[in-house]
Structures are given as structure tokens and as C-alpha cells.
């Protein structure tokens, strides 16, 4: 059966339909949210083999990576939401002050309405369903647009979500630029986008037309600083598993480049070579434990980065590639020029430049001179350096002595700043990302004072001053006519 | 405007240098600036009241209540709580990550832009400034050109109180705003209309700058006469105070229109009339207690709204206007047509339409059919109606049995949703509004689990699966070789 073309009318009908469900209150209740979350859990439990196989088709992702970084993370995320939802939904009490006395106040989390989630191809399940968990937990109707660059995953998502979830409020639209453009023309109550800074700008521009708030999960060049005062073996192992062991560098929090001192760099390179061989064998092109490059476009982009003359002669390890199998070996480069292309765009692949510094202090300037990354990593045993790094380096998140693990922690907000994005999610932050925090004030009729109202007089002004300063003595003095 | 381009660039450069020097990050610097704001307001009370009178005809009591006093309290709150706000929040990590630590640090965005509006030119300028400073940013403020005296006052006075390498004021209108918006900011905070809000957000998108948009909307007021009939005196007073007592209805959280059951409309009107008289006397124009309309353009907008013949026909009180004095009399309308312009744009002036319903429960549907307002007010003691309003309608805030005071409650976030805005501020929320919540995680290099690393095998897969489920007992069994995949 030929697929029907998605047209402007389809986009607007879709939103109208979901809005009708939302307005009817379908998605608002606790029961509905829990039912949908449980269904998502069933998808994870019953369809893991299909998910693993779709990810293998799209990215050659090793089973363990799929099973852990996509399915297991999702399962945790759903379970946490199921466990915490009642708490998250409960209003927060707020303290009121003397000026507004007598009153009580609370903050109510209410769903935003109909939201759009646009996800990316590198972790097509995690990055699709994780925001959907937030959207559903918060009681929204949601449309998911998975990336067309991971087609097997996209169609599996469409199939599974339609099969399990309430289609009156949760939908999947498959497609590429045309479909996305049509979707972006609609009025949404929130847009959650994962992808590049370039598209992020387009999304926000489209959102501005309808005053739609956005969460933009973008990327950037996440630096890794290695202080010679570290446990080198553990350091390089973590870097390798965070770089090549996470979708072969095609992850938004992947280490993009290393900063270390001139003297220490050779040791880092030797250790990297040694551990890489231990992980992926003598011929990494044959290893089954590494994803491939997503498609020939990205393969060509990476090749171009490598082929720049002053870059290619800086390869100290790896460099093999095969366009047929879309494989590129783990590649380490030493001191590529700062103005080369590879140092000016997010690499998003298995290439790892090492920049050397005369002294480690310089790392702060290098990082500060560039757009704010999604993550910044530091390996050191030096407590002072840790603190300085955490306080002064601006990035979405900072991890000391590890790579990428903060992504798995629902107690930490995950999101960028500046070029790496805006807004955050994970755990309760996901719920908050899709909620409006409505301020509610309950006032009684008791205690209405004339000072609030015209006609104004000097006495009223003085009373107000006392009240605003919460100066109780002055307040009573004026009331009693003593001042 | 060529000179302006350079001034903006020069200011930005200086602010960025100051931020890079790290000076604004110190809590001491922030507190010094906050204390200086309080001092500035205290020293200049009379001048501030003067400029507010010149720009808007605001009475000094009103000016103190809504602006000066409000700013002083806001700065005092920030001073008192800053030490608490800046403390990094610890996060619990699962045992699996032991020995690791997690925390969230609030870090300043950097150099931020505050664009304020003319109706509360002092407080809507200084209140966001307090937030930006509390969070440790450098700030450029542009006040509205429609309140020129307040704008000039701020531009002249702020530099002599605050660190002028970090906090700058530029005066100007839309042309200056356009220049400012071309540049990259780390956050933009805007107070004004949805129409301009869209322009701001689109400009911000170019640089991926996060925005807070404090917009407005038509804030409805529900009167459930059945349950509050004994308190109608208070109801009428509060509504009148909220509509006419605060900048003559030129406030984003002003009462825009009233919803009431048909049978009670005439008694409401009968009570409103004497209340307005008791507030402003027989001749409100001369009372000195009623702010004037800000500009000729806004006056003409209001007279256009009112001059629709169908709207004219609905006037039950007031209706006179004086273009010379930019005066619009407190005016009450009964059931103007719902498709008239006055029922479809934010009124932002001293005109109060009363819309009658057969049953007050219909108010829910009425409000739902319109864009989300910044505030909903409801006078009711009916718990069922309260619950319906809370769960079925959406708005920036809901206040029961009063109007506008939610603005004064700094324990509550203040901000809109949908057409009424993005983001929130006041109290701690102002601090958060200008901070990036940076997640920090610290691992230990001492312990390293082989199962984390490739090459992958079944043991590692099982291990990680169990670890994720936090099935620690099974993990031990697996490690001891007592279970297999």
C-alpha cells in the first residue's frame, strides 16, 4: 500500500483532533497518564528484540548499547514517572507575606495542551520516548515526529505507539523536512526538539509566531580536560566508552576533543591506543561492538573533515574508512589547527582531536573562547581544580572523572545553555518541562483595609510604606494614629 | 542612529569584559548592587513619584504601592535570601554510581537584556534588574520611550548608584530596540504586548537566546453572586480598585471584564457606581487619584474601541473622554457585543465590560474559548466552582476573592502561559529566571567496573541490565557466578 502524502490539511486536522481530546479532558486525569506510561513499559518489555534489530538496521548499533542506552534507560525513566507521578502532580504550597495576608497560596502544575516532540536519529528510541514520557506524565496530548534518518526505528515507533497508546491523544507522524515544516506551521503549546543548533533556530523562529515555548536539546563540541594528575587507565577507558562506545561518537554529549598538556599528551595517546585495541581488537573496522555512521551524507561530512590537509597529516591513530559499510575506525588526531573545520563544528563521529596546552590553566580560555557546550568533562584528582572547573566553566552539564553518565541520572536536569540549547528534562524535570506552573492565591473577604483604595491620602501612603517594609511597629503606630 | 550602533557595541563589549572578569559572580557584588537599588529608591522617592506623575498622572500613593515600595521589597527579599538561593543543590544518585556526587549549580547566563514597559516604568524595569543582578549577570536595561521621564530618570540615576561597567541603561524607542535585538544576548527579558513578544522571540531565535516574555491578555473576573452575596461590598471595592486604582486599568493583570449571572448584573452596576464615586469623587478628572492614558495613540485606540456604535449603546456608566488631558472616565459597559473589538483585544484602560451569563458555570466555557489570560479572578465560596476553574481553565495565575494581589506575593511565580507569555519571575523565580541550572556530577577514579566497557558479552549485558534495575542482590549472585543469563 502506497503511503498517503502528509498535507497541510492533515497537519491541521491532526492538531484539531488532539486539541479536542485535550479540551475534553481525556489526558488530564492521573489514571490516563498512568495507563499510557504502563503501555510504554509494555513496549519496552515485549518488543526489545524488535527495537534492537531496528537500531541495528539504522545504525549497526551493538545489542548491548541498544539494550542499555535505549531500552533500559527508558524503562527506568517510565518506572520513575509511575512511582513519582502522584508527588509530581500534587500542588506545591507557597508561603504568603504580610502584604497579601490573610491568604493561602499554592502552585499547581497544569498540562500545557497539545505538544510536539521532534526527535533525533542517533538514539531514536530514547530521544523519542523519553520526552513523550514527560509530555504524558504532565497530561498533554502529544505528536511525535521521529527522525527520517533512522527509518526502521521511525516506522517501528509509529507502529508500536499506535498499537499500544491512546491514539486520540498520542500520535506519530513520520517524515522529513516537508512533514516537519507542515507540523511547525501549526500552533503548539510546547515544542520539544532534539537535534542541531541550526535546526534549533528554525524551530524557535517558527515557535515565535505562536508564542510557543520551546525546549531545544542541541549539541556542541564537548571538551574533555585531562589533568596529568589522574588515573590514566580509568580515564581513557571512560573516554573510549563515552566516545566510541556510545553510538561511535554520534551522541550529543560525546567527547568532542581532548585538552591536555604537551608533556602528557603522548602518554594519553599511548593509553588510548592500548585500550582501544583491548576494546575493539587489532582491526576495529571488523568489530561488532561499534555502531556505523548513520548514512553516506554523514560519512562524507566526516571524510571531508579528515581530508583537510593539515588535519589528515595530524592523524596519530586510525583513519581507516569504508564508504560501502559506512564504517570509520576510531581516529585520534594531535594538534589540528584551531581554524580547521573539524575544530569548528560538532564532530558527531569517531574522530577525536587532542589539543595540547603549555599548561593546563589554558584550558579555561580555550573553552571560554568557544560556544557553550552541552557537556564539559574533567579528569583529575586535584580537588581545587575540580571546584574551579565546576564553578567557572559554563556548559549544560559538567562531569568530573567520567563521561556521559550524568545522562542516566534522573535527579540531574539535562539540557544545554547558549548554543547547546535551552530548557532541561529527565526525571521530574521532564514533568516540569511539559507543565505550566500556575500560581493560585486564595483570599478571604476578612481584613479588607481602606488603604488599598483611592481616594489617597498621606496617612495611607505611610501605612503602605510600613506594610511594604513589613514594619509591624510602624504599621500599628499609623493605625492607632500615633505617627 | 549610527551613534547608537556604536554605543550598543561599546556597552556590550564592556559588559562582557566585566562578566568575564568574574566580578558579578561574587555574592558580595550582587548584594552591594541590591543594597544600592534600595538606597536609590529611598534617596529618590520624590523624584520617582514626580516622573510617574509626569508620565502617567499617577498619584504618589499608587506610585509607592505599585512601584517604589514593590521594588524595595523585592530587593530586600533578594538580599535576605540570596545566600540561600546560590547554594548548590545536592542530588541523590543511585547506589550504582557510588562513590559519585551530584549537584545543581545556578550559574549566571552572562550578559542579559531587559526591555521594560511604560505602565509601571520603575517597577517593571527594576524588578527584572533585581533578578538579573541576584543571579550574577551583567544587564542592559531599555525602559520604554512612552514613559520618557521615567526612562530619563533611570538612565541618569542608575549609573550613579550601580556598577556602571556591569549595569547599563540605554534610552530609546523601537529603532533602538531593533539595534539591541540584532546583537547576541544570553537572555532576553521582555514586558509588553504579545505582538512585540513574537518579534522579540523571533530575534532571539537567531542567537538561540532564551526569553522570558511577560505579556498580557484579557483577564476575566468571575462573580459567583450566589456564594458571595453577603460580601458584595468587598467584591465591588476590590474590582474597582483593581480596575481603576492601578494605572487606570493600564496593567497587564488588570481586570479586563466581569462575568456574572444576568439577574445580578443590575445590582452589581448599582454598587459599582457609588464605589467609583467614592474613589474618585463627582469629577474623576480632577480627583488626582486616577492615572491618565499614557499617550495620544493609546487614547485614540481606547476611543476607537468605545466609539463602535454597538459599544456606545452598551455604556451604563461614564463614557466621557478628553483628548487634551488624555483622560478617559471610568466606564462600565453592559453586554457589549462579543464580536466587538473591545471584547477581542486587551482593553488596557479604564473601561469595564460586564458580560452576563445565564448560569455562572458557563464562565468556564467562556474563558476556555479565548486565549489563555495572564490571570483569572474569581469571587466565589463554592468549592466546586473553584475546582472547576482550577482544573478546566488555563491561565498564568488564578486568584480567588481578590484581584491583582498575586503580583505582590513573591512566594508565587508570576508569568503567563500561551498568549500571555513564557517564563516567570518574582522572588526566587526571578533568580531562577536569570540562572542556568548547571548539573554537576563527580565520579571517582578509584572504582572501575569492567562490565562498563566493550568488548561486549552476555555477562556484561546481564550485569548492566541488573544494575539498571538496581537489583543488587542478583548482581552479587551474577558476580559470584551463581546465575547465568
Amino acid at each position: 500500500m502506497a503511503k498517503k502524502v502528509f498535507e497541510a490539511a492533515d497537519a491541521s486536522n491532526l492538531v484539531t483532533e488532539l486539541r479536542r481530546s485535550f479540551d475534553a479532558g481525556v489526558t488530564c486525569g492521573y489514571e490516563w497518564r498512568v495507563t499510557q506510561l504502563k503501555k510504554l513499559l509494555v513496549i519496552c518489555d515485549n518488543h526489545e528484540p524488535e527495537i534492537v534489530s531496528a537500531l541495528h538496521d539504522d545504525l549497526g548499533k551493538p545489542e548491548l548499547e541498544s539494550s542499555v542506552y535505549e531500552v533500559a534507560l527508558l524503562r527506568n525513566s517510565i518506572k520513575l514517572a509511575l512511582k513519582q507521578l502522584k508527588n509530581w502532580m500534587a500542588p506545591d504550597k507557597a508561603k504568603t507575606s504580610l502584604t497579601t495576608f490573610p491568604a493561602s497560596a499554592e502552585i499547581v502544575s497544569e498540562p500545557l495542551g497539545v505538544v510536539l516532540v521532534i526527535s533525533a536519529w542517533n538514539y531514536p528510541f530514547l530521544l523519542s520516548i523519553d520526552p513523550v514520557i514527560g509530555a504524558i506524565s504532565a497530561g498533554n496530548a502529544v505528536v511525535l515526529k521521529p527522525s527520517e534518518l533512522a527509518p526502521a526505528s521511525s516506522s517501528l515507533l509509529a507502529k508500536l505507539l499506535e498499537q499500544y497508546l491512546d491514539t486520540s491523544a498520542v500520535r506519530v507522524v513520520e517524515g522529513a523536512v516537508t512533514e516537519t515544516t507542515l507540523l511547525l506551521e501549526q500552533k503548539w503549546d510546547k515544542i520539544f526538539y532534539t537535534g542541531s543548533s541550526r535546526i534549533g533556530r528554525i524551530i524557535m523562529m517558527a515557535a515565535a509566531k505562536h508564542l510557543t515555548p520551546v525546549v531545544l536539546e542541541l549539541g556542541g563540541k564537548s571538551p574533555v580536560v585531562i589533568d596529568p594528575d589522574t588515573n590514566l587507565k580509568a580515564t581513557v577507558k571512560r573516554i573510549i566508552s563515552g566516545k566510541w562506545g556510545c553510538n561511535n561518537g554520534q551522541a550529543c554529549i560525546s567527547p568532542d576533543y581532548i585538552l591536555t598538556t604537551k608533556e602528557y599528551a603522548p602518554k594519553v595517546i599511548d593509553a588510548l591506543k592500548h585500550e582501544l585495541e583491548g576494546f575493539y581488537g587489532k582491526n576495529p573496522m571488523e568489530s561488532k561492538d561499534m555502531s556505523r555512521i548513520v548514512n553516506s551524507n554523514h560519512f562524507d561530512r566526516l571524510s571531508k573533515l579528515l581530508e583537510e590537509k593539515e588535519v589528515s597529516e595530524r592523524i596519530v591513530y586510525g583513519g581507516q574508512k569504508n564508504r560501502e559499510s559506512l564504517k570509520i575506525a576510531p581516529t585520534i588526531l594531535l594538534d589540528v589547527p584551531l581554524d580547521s573545520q573539524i575544530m569548528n563544528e560538532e564532530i558527531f563521529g569517531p574522530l577525536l582531536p587532542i589539543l595540547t596546552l603549555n599548561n593546563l590553566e589554558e584550558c579555561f580560555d580555550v573553552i571560554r573562547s568557544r560556544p557553550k557546550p552541552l557537556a564539559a568533562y574533567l579528569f583529575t584528582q586535584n580537588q581545587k581544580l575540580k571546584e574551579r572547573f565546576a564553578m567557572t566553566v559554563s556548559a549544560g552539564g559538567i562531569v568530573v572523572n567520567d563521561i556521559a553518565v550524568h545522562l542516566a541520572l534522573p535527579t540531574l536536569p539535562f539540557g544545554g545553555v547558549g548554543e547547546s540549547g535551552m530548557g532541561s528534562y529527565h526525571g521530574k524535570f521532564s514533568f516540569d518541562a511539559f507543565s505550566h506552573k500556575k500560581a493560585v492565591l486564595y483570599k478571604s473577604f476578612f481584613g479588607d483595609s481602606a488603604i488599598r483604595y483611592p481616594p489617597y491620602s498621606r496617612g495611607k501612603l505611610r501605612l503602605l510604606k510600613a506594610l511594604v517594609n513589613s514594619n509591624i511597629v510602624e504599621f500599628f503606630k499609623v493605625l492607632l494614629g500615633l505617627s | 542612529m549610527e551613534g547608537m550602533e556604536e554605543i550598543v557595541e561599546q556597552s556590550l563589549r564592556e559588559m562582557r569584559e566585566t562578566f568575564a572578569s568574574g566580578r558579578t559572580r561574587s555574592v558580595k557584588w550582587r548584594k552591594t548592587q541590591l543594597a544600592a537599588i534600595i538606597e536609590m529608591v529611598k534617596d529618590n522617592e520624590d523624584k520617582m513619584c514626580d516622573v510617574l506623575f509626569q508620565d502617567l498622572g499617577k498619584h504618589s500613593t499608587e506610585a509607592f504601592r505599585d512601584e517604589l515600595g514593590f521594588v524595595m521589597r523585592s530587593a530586600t527579599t533578594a538580599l535576605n535570601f540570596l545566600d540561600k538561593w546560590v547554594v548548590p543543590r545536592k542530588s541523590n544518585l543511585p547506589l550504582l554510581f557510588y562513590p559519585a556526587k551530584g549537584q545543581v549549580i545556578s550559574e549566571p547566563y552572562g550578559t542579559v537584556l531587559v526591555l521594560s514597559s511604560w505602565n509601571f516604568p520603575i517597577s517593571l524595569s527594576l524588578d527584572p534588574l533585581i533578578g538579573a543582578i541576584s543571579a550574577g549577570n551583567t544587564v542592559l536595561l531599555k525602559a520604554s520611550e512612552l514613559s520618557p521621564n521615567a526612562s530619563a530618570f533611570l538612565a541618569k540615576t542608575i549609573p550613579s548608584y550601580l556598577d556602571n561597567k556591569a549595569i547599563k541603561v540605554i534610552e530609546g524607542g523601537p529603532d533602538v530596540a531593533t539595534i539591541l535585538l540584532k546583537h547576541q544576548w544570553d537572555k532576553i527579558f521582555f514586558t509588553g504586548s504579545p505582538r512585540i513578544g513574537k518579534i522579540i522571540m523571533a530575534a532571539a531565535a537567531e542567537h538561540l537566546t532564551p526569553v522570558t516574555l511577560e505579556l498580557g491578555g484579557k483577564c476575566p473576573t468571575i462573580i459567583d453572586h450566589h456564594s458571595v452575596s453577603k460580601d458584595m461590598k468587598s467584591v465591588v471595592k476590590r474590582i474597582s480598585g483593581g480596575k481603576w486604582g492601578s494605572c487606570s486599568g493600564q496593567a497587564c493583570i488588570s481586570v479586563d471584564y466581569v462575568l456574572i449571572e444576568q439577574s445580578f448584573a443590575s445590582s452589581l452596576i448599582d454598587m459599582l457606581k457609588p464605589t467609583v464615586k467614592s474613589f474618585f469623587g463627582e469629577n474623576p478628572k480632577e480627583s488626582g487619584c486616577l492615572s491618565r492614558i499614557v499617550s495620544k495613540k493609546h487614547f485614540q485606540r481606547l476611543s476607537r474601541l468605545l466609539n463602535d456604535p454597538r459599544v456606545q449603546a452598551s455604556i451604563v456608566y461614564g463614557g466621557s473622554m478628553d483628548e487634551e488631558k488624555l483622560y478617559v472616565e471610568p466606564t462600565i459597559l453592559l453586554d457589549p457585543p462579543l464580536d466587538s473589538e473591545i471584547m477581542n483585544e486587551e482593553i488596557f484602560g479604564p473601561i469595564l465590560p460586564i458580560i452576563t451569563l445565564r448560569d455562572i458555570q458557563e464562565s468556564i466555557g467562556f474563558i476556555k474559548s479565548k486565549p489563555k489570560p495572564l490571570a483569572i479572578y474569581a469571587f466565589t465560596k463554592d468549592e466546586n466552582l473553584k475546582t472547576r476553574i482550577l482544573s478546566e481553565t488555563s491561565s498564568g495565575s488564578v486568584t480567588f476573592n481578590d484581584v491583582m494581589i498575586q503580583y505582590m506575593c513573591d512566594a508565587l511565580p508570576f508569568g503567563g502561559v500561551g498568549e500571555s507569555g513564557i517564563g516567570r519571575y518574582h522572588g526566587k523565580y526571578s533568580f531562577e529566571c536569570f540562572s542556568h541550572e548547571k548539573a554537576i556530577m563527580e565520579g571517582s577514579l578509584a572504582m572501575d567496573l569492567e562490565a562498563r566497557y566493550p568488548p561486549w558479552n552476555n555477562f556484561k549485558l546481564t550485569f548492566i541490565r541488573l544494575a539498571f534495575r538496581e537489583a543488587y542482590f542478583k548482581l552479587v549472585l551474577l558476580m559470584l557466578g551463581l546465575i547465568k543469563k
Side-chain angles (χ1 to χ4, degrees):
Chain A
M1 190 179 78
K3 249 201 177 142
K4 205 179 148 282
V5 188
F6 189 75
E7 287 168 2
D10 299 319
S12 80
N13 289 342
L14 174 70
V15 176
T16 311
E17 237 176 88
L18 292 200
R19 200 168 290 287
R20 202 175 298 135
S21 304
F22 178 80
D23 286 340
V26 171
T27 63
C28 211
Y30 174 78
E31 290 307 322
W32 183 86
R33 307 185 197 188
V34 164
T35 313
Q36 302 308 307
L37 290 172
K38 283 188 177 154
K39 294 273 177 61
L40 284 173
L41 200 56
V42 173
I43 293 180
C44 292
D45 286 339
N46 295 358
H47 297 274
E48 185 165 333
E50 284 162 84
I51 294 173
V52 167
S53 129
L55 287 166
H56 192 268
D57 289 351
D58 288 332
L59 293 151
K61 222 178 238 195
E63 181 190 354
L64 185 132
E65 273 190 44
S66 303
S67 164
V68 173
Y69 299 132
E70 306 227 31
V71 183
L73 275 179
L74 278 177
R75 204 181 275 134
N76 275 20
S77 184
I78 300 164
K79 280 187 178 163
L80 181 80
L82 281 169
K83 206 168 130 196
Q84 296 291 337
L85 191 56
K86 273 229 164 83
N87 290 334
W88 293 346
M89 287 172 70
D92 286 328
K93 284 266 170 267
K95 277 192 191 141
T96 51
S97 66
L98 190 57
T99 327
T100 49
F101 179 84
S104 68
E106 60 183 11
I107 301 164
V108 174
S109 296
E110 73 174 23
L112 290 163
V114 184
V115 303
L116 173 64
V117 172
I118 302 177
S119 71
W121 51 263
N122 56 339
Y123 285 86
F125 281 89
L126 180 69
L127 299 180
S128 296
I129 295 185
D130 213 9
V132 169
I133 293 168
I136 290 175
S137 301
N140 298 281
V142 48
V143 172
L144 166 69
K145 213 298 284 169
S147 169
E148 75 283 8
L149 298 184
S153 304
S154 173
S155 71
L156 183 59
L157 277 165
K159 188 189 118 196
L160 291 177
L161 263 54
E162 192 187 318
Q163 184 184 335
Y164 283 93
L165 299 190
D166 176 358
T167 51
S168 77
V170 183
R171 291 288 180 78
V172 180
V173 173
E174 288 195 80
V177 181
T178 327
E179 288 79 3
T180 310
T181 311
L182 291 175
L183 288 173
L184 285 176
E185 279 164 14
Q186 308 305 312
K187 178 177 159 58
W188 303 92
D189 296 302
K190 181 108 195 184
I191 301 177
F192 188 107
Y193 168 76
T194 308
S196 71
S197 306
R198 190 178 65 81
I199 308 293
R201 286 178 163 82
I202 298 173
I203 304 277
M204 189 170 168
M205 199 82 81
K209 281 193 197 110
H210 300 288
L211 287 170
T212 302
V214 291
V215 172
L216 303 176
E217 294 285 342
L218 314 176
K221 293 181 81 66
S222 301
V224 183
V225 176
I226 306 178
D227 177 15
D229 177 15
T230 184
N231 171 343
L232 188 59
K233 194 175 157 74
T235 300
V236 297
K237 277 176 131 176
R238 289 176 189 187
I239 292 174
I240 295 169
S241 69
K243 173 88 179 175
W244 295 284
C246 287
N247 206 24
N248 208 2
Q250 302 170 98
C252 51
I253 48 170
S254 188
D256 194 279
Y257 62 98
I258 289 178
L259 291 166
T260 190
T261 61
K262 268 204 172 62
E263 299 78 55
Y264 201 58
K267 287 198 183 124
V268 172
I269 295 171
D270 284 345
L272 277 170
K273 286 181 184 169
H274 178 75
E275 295 297 337
L276 273 169
E277 254 179 52
F279 282 11
Y280 303 113
K282 292 252 180 239
N283 189 359
M285 298 287 277
E286 302 295 319
S287 170
K288 295 257 179 294
D289 292 334
M290 229 184 313
S291 298
R292 61 164 165 77
I293 307 305
V294 62
N295 60 27
S296 50
N297 276 344
H298 278 269
F299 183 91
D300 293 341
R301 180 184 62 81
L302 288 163
S303 303
K304 225 174 92 196
L305 293 183
L306 262 189
E307 278 155 13
E308 207 175 325
K309 184 170 169 292
E310 281 170 337
V311 172
S312 62
E313 59 198 21
R314 295 295 180 168
I315 297 175
V316 292
Y317 181 80
Q320 305 89 321
K321 50 190 195 218
N322 181 346
R323 197 170 189 272
E324 200 92 328
S325 61
L326 295 173
K327 287 239 169 192
I328 298 179
T331 301
I332 301 167
L333 305 118
L334 184 62
D335 279 326
V336 294
L338 284 177
D339 59 356
S340 57
Q341 192 59 31
I342 198 171
M343 280 313 294
N344 288 286
E345 66 171 62
E346 188 176 0
I347 295 173
F348 226 71
L351 321 176
L352 182 65
I354 299 176
L355 300 183
T356 64
L357 311 164
N358 293 319
N359 101 38
L360 204 70
E361 274 300 293
E362 291 171 16
C363 76
F364 291 101
D365 289 332
V366 175
I367 297 173
R368 195 178 302 144
S369 69
R370 299 170 162 273
K372 296 178 180 177
L374 186 54
Y377 302 108
L378 169 69
F379 286 91
T380 187
Q381 323 234 31
N382 177 339
Q383 196 54 36
K384 276 234 167 78
L385 182 64
K386 284 179 197 170
E387 279 163 22
R388 224 185 115 206
F389 195 83
M391 287 313 289
T392 62
V393 170
S394 186
I398 285 181
V399 181
V400 177
N401 293 334
D402 216 325
I403 300 282
V405 286
H406 61 308
L407 176 100
L409 299 174
T411 50
L412 290 178
F414 181 80
V417 59
E419 280 286 307
S420 53
M422 60 184 81
S424 60
Y425 74 131
H426 285 180
K428 176 158 194 291
F429 304 100
S430 293
F431 176 83
D432 291 342
F434 287 101
S435 298
H436 164 53
K437 301 286 168 183
K438 183 156 78 175
V440 182
L441 191 63
Y442 298 88
K443 190 80 191 283
S444 81
F445 287 104
F446 167 74
D448 208 14
S449 149
I451 57 165
R452 282 179 56 185
Y453 308 112
Y456 302 122
S457 66
R458 291 210 65 79
K460 283 188 182 175
L461 180 60
R462 277 218 304 286
L463 250 179
L464 266 169
K465 285 185 183 175
L467 253 184
V468 163
N469 296 323
S470 293
N471 183 341
I472 300 189
V473 180
E474 178 72 8
F475 178 68
F476 283 110
K477 267 163 74 183
V478 181
L479 266 187
L480 299 171
L482 298 175
S483 168
Chain B
M1 277 291 107
E2 269 166 44
M4 188 47 82
E5 192 81 63
E6 273 157 35
I7 292 170
V8 170
E9 268 164 37
Q10 168 70 20
S11 304
L12 254 171
R13 215 170 16 244
E14 245 179 64
M15 286 188 292
R16 291 215 180 276
E17 270 165 27
T18 309
F19 184 74
S21 78
R23 181 160 85 225
T24 64
R25 285 174 183 253
S26 90
V27 172
K28 203 178 143 221
W29 180 88
R30 305 184 200 185
K31 284 187 172 174
T32 315
Q33 302 308 308
L34 292 170
I37 290 181
I38 299 174
E39 203 185 305
M40 176 173 80
V41 178
K42 281 197 172 141
D43 290 353
N44 294 282
E45 260 183 38
D46 292 341
K47 260 190 234 159
M48 288 180 166
C49 287
D50 283 350
V51 295
L52 289 169
F53 184 77
Q54 286 157 18
D55 286 336
L56 292 152
K58 248 184 217 186
H59 189 280
S60 55
T61 305
E62 198 185 311
F64 189 88
R65 182 192 63 201
D66 296 349
E67 307 216 42
L68 285 64
F70 180 76
V71 165
M72 279 198 272
R73 221 198 39 188
S74 173
T76 310
T77 306
L79 258 179
N80 291 342
F81 289 96
L82 191 56
D83 288 321
K84 263 193 203 152
W85 294 343
V86 297
V87 174
R89 289 199 312 276
K90 296 249 175 298
S91 325
N92 297 323
L93 301 187
L95 189 61
L96 177 63
F97 290 90
Y98 184 84
K101 289 188 291 190
Q103 57 178 351
V104 180
I105 293 182
S106 298
E107 74 168 22
Y109 276 117
T111 300
V112 305
L113 175 64
V114 173
L115 301 168
S116 69
S117 82
W118 50 262
N119 52 342
F120 297 88
I122 301 288
S123 61
L124 294 181
S125 297
L126 295 183
D127 202 23
L129 196 67
I130 290 166
I133 291 171
S134 305
N137 297 279
T138 54
V139 201
L140 191 141
L141 163 70
K142 189 195 89 62
S144 169
E145 77 286 3
L146 295 181
S147 47
N149 294 293
S151 170
F153 168 82
L154 290 169
K156 203 179 113 221
T157 319
I158 286 179
S160 54
Y161 283 86
L162 304 183
D163 177 349
N164 56 31
K165 297 266 182 237
I167 296 148
K168 306 212 169 261
V169 187
I170 285 186
E171 287 197 79
D175 42 357
V176 173
T178 310
I179 295 175
L180 289 170
L181 287 175
K182 267 192 244 155
H183 291 275
Q184 179 168 359
W185 302 91
D186 298 310
K187 169 103 195 187
I188 299 176
F189 187 103
F190 167 76
T191 308
S193 70
R195 190 178 64 82
I196 308 292
K198 288 174 186 174
I199 298 173
I200 305 275
M201 188 170 170
E206 291 276 354
H207 299 290
L208 286 172
T209 303
V211 290
T212 294
L213 304 176
E214 294 287 341
L215 314 176
K218 292 182 82 64
C219 303
T221 300
I222 301 169
I223 303 178
D224 169 28
H225 199 283
H226 302 284
S227 68
V228 297
S229 56
K230 281 196 208 123
D231 300 294
M232 275 310 283
K233 247 183 111 164
S234 279
V235 173
V236 168
K237 249 184 145 173
R238 288 176 185 188
I239 289 176
S240 305
K243 180 74 191 182
W244 296 290
S246 199
C247 205
S248 215
Q250 302 170 97
C252 52
I253 49 169
S254 187
V255 174
D256 195 279
Y257 61 94
V258 168
L259 294 169
I260 192 166
E261 283 183 18
Q262 226 150 29
S263 45
F264 301 111
S266 62
S267 77
L268 172 67
I269 294 165
D270 288 344
M271 289 178 83
L272 277 168
K273 287 178 187 173
T275 307
V276 173
K277 283 208 177 98
S278 74
F279 280 6
F280 307 109
E282 284 299 329
N283 188 0
K285 203 196 304 194
E286 309 300 332
S287 73
C289 292
L290 186 71
S291 297
R292 65 163 165 79
I293 306 306
V294 63
S295 68
K296 204 151 240 182
K297 209 178 117 197
H298 279 270
F299 179 89
Q300 283 159 357
R301 182 183 61 81
L302 286 169
S303 66
R304 198 188 64 233
L305 293 183
L306 213 47
N307 282 339
D308 178 337
R310 297 178 305 161
V311 173
Q312 274 290 326
S314 71
I315 296 177
V316 291
Y317 184 80
S320 75
M321 287 182 275
D322 180 345
E323 182 154 5
E324 192 92 343
K325 296 216 156 113
L326 295 177
Y327 163 79
V328 176
E329 189 186 357
T331 301
I332 302 168
L333 313 174
L334 181 62
D335 281 324
L338 293 180
D339 60 352
S340 61
E341 225 177 320
I342 200 162
M343 282 314 293
N344 289 285
E345 70 169 63
E346 190 176 359
I347 297 174
F348 227 69
I351 307 164
L352 180 68
I354 295 168
I355 304 296
T356 60
L357 307 167
R358 252 178 314 139
D359 182 337
I360 201 64
Q361 302 291 335
E362 291 169 16
S363 57
I364 307 275
F366 189 91
I367 293 170
K368 271 178 84 169
S369 70
K370 306 200 163 267
K372 299 177 181 179
L374 188 52
I376 292 175
Y377 305 113
F379 290 89
T380 179
K381 289 179 181 167
D382 178 352
E383 293 303 321
N384 183 36
L385 183 61
K386 283 186 188 174
T387 309
R388 279 199 70 197
I389 292 167
L390 278 187
S391 59
E392 293 180 39
T393 70
S394 180
S395 58
S397 65
V398 177
T399 299
F400 290 108
N401 299 328
D402 211 329
V403 297
M404 293 181 87
I405 53 156
Q406 77 277 14
Y407 185 80
M408 299 284 172
C409 180
D410 51 27
L412 286 178
F414 181 81
V417 59
E419 282 282 305
S420 54
I422 294 177
R424 50 187 183 263
Y425 75 133
H426 282 187
K428 187 184 77 180
Y429 302 99
S430 290
F431 174 82
E432 289 174 357
C433 168
F434 287 100
S435 299
H436 161 55
E437 306 258 274
K438 183 164 72 174
I440 315 275
M441 191 202 147
E442 186 186 334
S444 156
L445 291 167
M447 277 186 28
D448 222 10
L449 291 167
E450 274 313 306
R452 282 184 55 181
Y453 307 113
W456 304 129
N457 56 36
N458 270 339
F459 173 82
K460 289 180 182 178
L461 182 59
T462 314
F463 181 93
I464 294 176
R465 278 199 179 133
L466 290 174
F468 261 101
R469 274 179 223 159
E470 299 185 33
Y472 296 109
F473 182 65
K474 280 193 179 165
L475 263 177
V476 173
L477 293 181
L478 177 77
M479 300 282 275
L480 296 171
L482 296 176
I483 48 171
K484 284 198 183 137
K485 165 148 170 134

